[in-house]
């Protein structure tokens, strides 16, 4: 139903929401530690690759490609980050766990950096703190985050949440170690232009059209409305 060409549309933090660079000129967000940390985790907890003279096109999942493009809009090229924080271990994404996590050498004390991304409810459940504009505080307003994400999903966005931690000695399952919730990213994936006509052709032929998706129900409803499925 969609073009499978995702892009970052909205960034959601404890202290508000904004659009990513270079579209937003709001220094209030872009000068924050949370913004920098979101770009870092987006680049490190990622298996995609952007064109580099050898690759003529991005390689990898469209969502991870979109994350790298967002990270590149910052001051550091993602390969520089990957060199500064070499990956030691990965917990791959699975539909059962709805998350991916990576463990990196930190380059300073504490010795290790954990980066995690996944479904909002999963990342919230694993996080003990949340980044604010000036530091961190205990994460207690999980229901507020769910409500904010539902509002973005109702606009047709796909939502992904991010967290990190810095550790001296990570556990075997490092995805549970004192995580600090950073925020969410809302992605857009526009509907294909030919879909409404194709749906109408099917209906005229007596074919019932249904949508099967793993997206948030509100996201799926928005796409269905845009394609005249409902």
């Amino acid at each position: 139903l969609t073009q499978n060409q995702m892009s970052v549309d909205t960034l959601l933090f404890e202290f508000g929401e904004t659009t990513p660079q270079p579209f937003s000129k709001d220094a209030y967000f872009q000068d924050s530690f949370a913004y920098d940390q979101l770009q870092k985790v987006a680049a490190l907890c990622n298996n995609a690759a952007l064109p580099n003279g050898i690759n003529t096109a991005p390689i990898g999942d469209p969502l991870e490609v979109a994350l790298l493009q967002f990270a590149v809009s910052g001051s550091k090229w993602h390969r520089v980050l990957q060199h500064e924080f070499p990956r030691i271990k990965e917990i791959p994404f699975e539909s059962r766990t709805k998350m991916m996590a990576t463990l990196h050498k930190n380059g300073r004390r504490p010795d290790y950096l954990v980066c995690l991304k996944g479904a909002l409810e999963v990342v919230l459940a694993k996080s003990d703190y949340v980044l604010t504009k000036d530091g961190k505080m205990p994460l207690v307003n999980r229901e507020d985050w769910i409500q904010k994400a539902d509002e973005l999903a109702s606009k047709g966005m796909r939502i992904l949440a991010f967290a990190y931690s810095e550790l001296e000695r990570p556990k075997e399952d490092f995805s549970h170690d004192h995580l600090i919730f950073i925020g969410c990213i809302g992605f857009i994936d526009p509907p294909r232009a030919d879909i409404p006509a194709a749906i109408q052709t099917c209906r005229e032929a007596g074919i019932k059209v249904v949508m099967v998706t793993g997206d948030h129900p509100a996201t799926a409803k928005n796409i269905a409305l845009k394609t005249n499925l409902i």
Side-chain angles (χ1 to χ4, degrees):
L1 294 177
T2 61
Q3 298 176 18
N4 204 28
Q5 296 179 352
M6 306 195 76
S7 60
V8 173
D9 181 89
T10 300
L11 312 177
L12 185 60
F13 299 102
E14 176 69 25
F15 46 94
E17 68 178 67
T18 186
T19 53
Q21 300 183 58
F23 312 109
S24 172
K25 303 300 181 183
D26 193 340
Y28 176 77
F29 290 96
Q30 295 180 8
D31 292 343
S32 70
F33 175 73
Y35 198 109
D36 291 341
Q37 203 70 357
L38 183 61
Q39 289 191 309
K40 180 188 292 186
V41 174
L44 295 176
C45 190
N46 198 315
N47 288 323
L50 296 180
N52 60 0
I54 300 174
N55 303 326
T56 58
I59 298 174
D61 180 87
L63 185 145
E64 291 199 326
V65 169
L67 284 176
L68 282 190
Q69 291 169 337
F70 160 65
V72 166
S73 70
S75 60
K76 286 192 174 182
W77 181 247
H78 70 282
R79 290 189 182 86
V80 175
L81 283 172
Q82 291 166 349
H83 177 74
E84 290 182 357
F85 302 92
R87 184 185 298 187
I88 300 170
K89 190 176 179 181
E90 174 185 343
I91 301 175
F93 175 85
E94 294 183 8
S95 58
R96 176 181 57 84
T97 60
K98 299 181 180 180
M99 51 142 280
M100 171 186 176
T102 51
L103 178 67
H104 306 262
K105 286 292 290 183
N106 204 11
R108 64 174 189 272
R109 302 297 296 268
D111 294 332
Y112 296 93
L113 171 68
V114 174
C115 299
L116 185 142
K117 71 173 188 279
L120 176 60
E121 65 274 13
V122 172
V123 181
L124 285 174
K126 290 178 174 289
S127 298
D128 299 317
Y129 301 93
V130 59
L131 282 184
T132 66
K133 187 69 170 63
D134 302 312
K136 69 177 183 179
M137 66 180 187
L139 177 59
V140 295
N141 59 338
R142 290 175 173 83
E143 290 302 319
D144 292 342
W145 279 98
I146 296 293
Q147 181 177 350
K148 292 175 184 178
D150 286 347
E151 291 172 359
L152 294 182
S154 69
K155 300 176 183 178
M157 296 186 203
R158 298 179 182 179
I159 311 302
L160 198 62
F162 297 80
Y164 80 101
S165 65
E166 293 179 315
L167 307 167
E168 291 291 350
R169 291 185 178 86
K171 300 175 184 176
E172 181 66 22
D173 182 1
F174 52 86
S175 69
H176 291 277
D177 282 345
H178 306 293
L179 287 168
I180 303 169
F181 185 77
I182 305 171
C184 298
I185 291 181
F187 302 82
I188 56 172
D189 184 8
R192 288 169 47 190
D194 58 339
I195 290 299
I199 290 175
Q200 184 60 32
T201 299
C202 289
R203 285 174 173 158
E204 291 173 355
I207 300 171
K208 181 180 180 181
V209 182
V210 299
M211 176 192 294
V212 179
T213 179
D215 284 341
H216 188 288
T219 305
K221 182 177 179 180
N222 182 278
I223 294 172
L225 287 168
K226 289 180 177 178
T227 57
N228 296 329
L229 182 58
I230 57 174

